[in-house]
Amino acid sequence: MMPLSRWLRSVGVFLLPAPSWVPLERWLGPLRRPSLVYRGSVLGAWHSGRCWCQAWTEEPRMNGDQKLDVYDQAKEKFLQHFPQIVKVLTEDDMKCPETGDAVARLREVLEYNVIGGKYQRGLTVLVTLQALVEPKELDADSLQRALTVGWCVELLQAFFLVSDDIMDASLTRRGKSCWYQKPGIGLDAVNDAILLEACIYRLLKFYCREQPYYLNLIELFLQTCYQTEIGQTLDLITAPQGNVDLSRFTEKRYKSIVKYKTAFYSFYLPVAAGMYMAGIDTEKEHSSAKKILLELGEFFQVQDDYLDLFGDPSVTGKIGTDIQDNKCSWLVVQCLLRASPAQQQILKENYGQKEAEKVAQVKALYEDMDLPAVFAQYEQDSYNRLVALIEQCASPLPPAIFLRLAQKIYKRKK
């Protein structure tokens, strides 16, 4: 027998793909919903009802693995646009006799470091814009600009990752050697990372300088870059290599690191970019979105910290080094909150050390303290809190923007 949810969709009762896990008792939301496209007011019973009712009518889709979601549908177009990005950034300059070989190096940097991730950050720009603007308003040029801004987010991610891998002395990234580890690269990768950041503003100028949201995008990327670099600074000064001070690893400091190092660029940046491109630039709407997205960012980073040690490197694409690097990670913070004096001594003697046997001692301590179960409970509780927060704060933005993001990262393995 066909499930009720599938039958409802087949007859067109709900028009948008829907997350699956909002409880049936959710209210339909306000009956009057400001139009996000035309900035007027429209009767919103249908719009608001659909935003929440759609969440009741989809079969479970953990992490998007069981069927195509809007991110999967957008991914093909997104990847097809990358050669155009490389062409714009390199084609003309490669003909210049003075800089041609440097631009050829840039092309190599782009093709090695920008490709190979999950592309969730970049795709979120496009998915957000499509959720906010009527399809008839999105012409080919608008879609091309959205794809480009999405790739600007991926370029920012690549800039951060190349730099971070050097600072953390990481070995692998996305299933292959870190860029600086490749023969002949070394610390020249510092300059390559700076080139990746510079490409963002070249693309924004090339594609968006005539658009009313151009300045908003420039300021958004600049501010996000600064916030992330402040977060990286917090991370580095909290856990200096060779100086293990467990008293620094507090929940308060951890939350600050995560907010600035991860949440702004991974979640607020791509959604805010899509909002600006849709003409939404009011403080109220951006503040509401930011409140949700920073919580999503913390949830995401806690998962990252857990997967750094307990994830499968063949799936995550990297070998975790948080213990060796003396990182203020969620696991060590939780360990310190629960540890007996004897357990704290084990941690003190082994944390932040490179030797494999000392890393194993820390992992064994975490397992003895049942931190994997603590994480599983945290993940479920955080997921439920996010759903409630989205219901409370999303309006007048479509809740599906945030629900889809939460769904994409819930129970992720990489």
Side-chain angles (χ1 to χ4, degrees):
M1 179 182 293
M2 179 184 292
L4 175 61
S5 58
R6 188 173 298 163
W7 181 83
L8 287 170
R9 288 195 309 281
S10 73
V11 297
V13 174
F14 302 110
L15 303 182
L16 295 176
S20 62
W21 29 263
V22 179
L24 291 176
E25 65 267 19
R26 302 293 185 203
W27 295 102
L28 296 183
L31 294 181
R32 187 173 179 273
R33 178 178 182 268
S35 170
L36 296 173
V37 178
Y38 302 107
R39 296 171 179 257
S41 292
V42 297
L43 287 176
W46 167 248
H47 296 283
S48 297
R50 181 178 65 180
C51 285
W52 281 106
C53 287
Q54 64 181 355
W56 305 347
T57 61
E58 188 75 67
E59 293 89 358
R61 196 166 63 238
M62 288 302 177
N63 233 4
D65 291 335
Q66 294 177 358
K67 58 164 54 174
L68 286 177
D69 64 9
V70 291
Y71 281 83
D72 296 321
Q73 293 166 16
K75 190 173 182 178
E76 182 178 359
K77 288 182 181 178
F78 191 69
L79 291 175
Q80 287 174 348
H81 190 58
F82 183 69
Q84 179 65 21
I85 294 294
V86 175
K87 181 179 179 181
V88 168
L89 290 171
T90 64
E91 186 174 65
D92 290 342
D93 291 341
M94 284 184 72
K95 300 172 185 176
C96 175
E98 293 181 318
T99 61
D101 52 348
V103 177
R105 165 66 171 250
L106 170 61
R107 185 185 186 98
E108 183 184 0
V109 172
L110 290 166
E111 292 176 344
Y112 191 91
N113 294 289
V114 183
I115 294 294
K118 298 183 288 292
Y119 308 112
Q120 181 172 300
R121 294 170 181 84
L123 287 168
T124 296
V125 177
L126 177 61
V127 170
T128 299
L129 182 63
Q130 290 174 326
L132 295 173
V133 177
E134 296 293 337
K136 63 183 179 182
E137 300 295 321
L138 285 176
D139 58 19
D141 288 342
S142 298
L143 288 173
Q144 186 178 62
R145 285 190 290 269
L147 291 168
T148 299
V149 174
W151 278 112
C152 286
V153 177
E154 292 295 322
L155 280 163
L156 188 66
Q157 161 83 336
F159 161 53
F160 291 147
L161 294 184
V162 172
S163 304
D164 193 60
D165 286 343
I166 297 169
M167 287 181 267
D168 290 348
S170 298
L171 301 175
T172 59
R173 172 70 66 180
R174 294 172 173 170
K176 57 188 180 182
S177 295
C178 295
W179 175 245
Y180 83 98
Q181 290 275 5
K182 284 177 63 65
I185 303 298
L187 291 181
D188 290 355
V190 174
N191 189 69
D192 296 331
I194 295 169
L195 276 174
L196 288 169
E197 184 195 17
C199 288
I200 295 167
Y201 302 101
R202 294 184 64 210
L203 287 171
L204 290 176
K205 181 179 180 181
F206 185 86
Y207 281 95
C208 302
R209 63 180 163 181
E210 302 300 328
Q211 301 304 311
Y213 50 76
Y214 176 55
L215 180 58
N216 282 330
L217 289 183
I218 293 290
E219 291 181 342
L220 176 65
F221 274 91
L222 288 171
Q223 177 68 6
T224 303
C225 194
Y226 172 74
Q227 289 164 327
T228 307
E229 288 159 358
I230 286 292
Q232 178 72 352
T233 302
L234 287 172
D235 187 25
L236 293 171
I237 65 177
T238 303
Q241 298 231 359
N243 181 15
V244 180
D245 181 359
L246 299 178
S247 67
R248 299 176 184 228
F249 297 161
T250 65
E251 278 193 299
K252 182 178 180 180
R253 174 47 67 98
Y254 177 75
K255 286 177 177 290
S256 296
I257 293 170
V258 166
K259 175 181 177 180
Y260 284 90
K261 184 179 177 180
T262 300
F264 278 111
Y265 96 89
S266 294
F267 289 89
Y268 179 64
L269 168 64
V271 173
M275 291 170 65
Y276 282 130
M277 297 182 80
I280 303 169
D281 56 10
T282 62
E283 175 62 28
K284 180 180 182 297
E285 287 160 342
H286 277 267
S287 179
S288 296
K290 188 182 296 182
K291 184 174 183 179
I292 298 169
L293 295 163
L294 294 184
E295 288 294 320
L296 273 166
E298 180 176 324
F299 181 38
F300 178 86
Q301 185 59 53
V302 171
Q303 292 174 313
D304 236 31
D305 290 354
Y306 179 81
L307 293 172
D308 181 87
L309 182 61
F310 291 106
D312 180 351
S314 68
V315 176
T316 63
K318 59 184 177 180
I319 300 170
T321 59
D322 281 357
I323 293 173
Q324 298 94 313
D325 294 338
N326 188 32
K327 290 293 185 181
C328 180
S329 81
W330 183 84
L331 287 167
V332 74
V333 170
Q334 296 304 311
C335 177
L336 288 167
L337 288 173
R338 295 166 170 78
S340 67
Q343 290 170 323
Q344 288 188 25
Q345 187 60 33
I346 293 172
L347 196 62
K348 185 176 181 180
E349 292 172 357
N350 294 281
Y351 201 76
Q353 308 298 318
K354 303 296 185 184
E355 295 85 351
E357 61 272 15
K358 294 192 174 185
V359 175
Q361 285 263 39
V362 176
K363 184 175 183 179
L365 176 62
Y366 290 168
E367 290 171 334
D368 289 344
M369 298 178 70
D370 210 15
L371 290 191
V374 174
F375 168 76
Q377 188 61 54
Y378 165 87
E379 186 171 41
Q380 185 61 58
D381 291 346
S382 296
Y383 182 77
N384 294 337
R385 283 196 303 271
L386 279 167
V387 173
L389 183 64
I390 291 167
E391 180 183 4
Q392 176 186 354
C393 298
S395 182
L397 300 171
I401 292 173
F402 309 102
L403 295 172
R404 287 167 181 156
L405 278 171
Q407 184 185 30
K408 289 294 289 183
I409 65 174
Y410 181 55
K411 300 284 188 183
R412 69 187 179 98
K413 300 301 180 185
K414 63 178 181 177

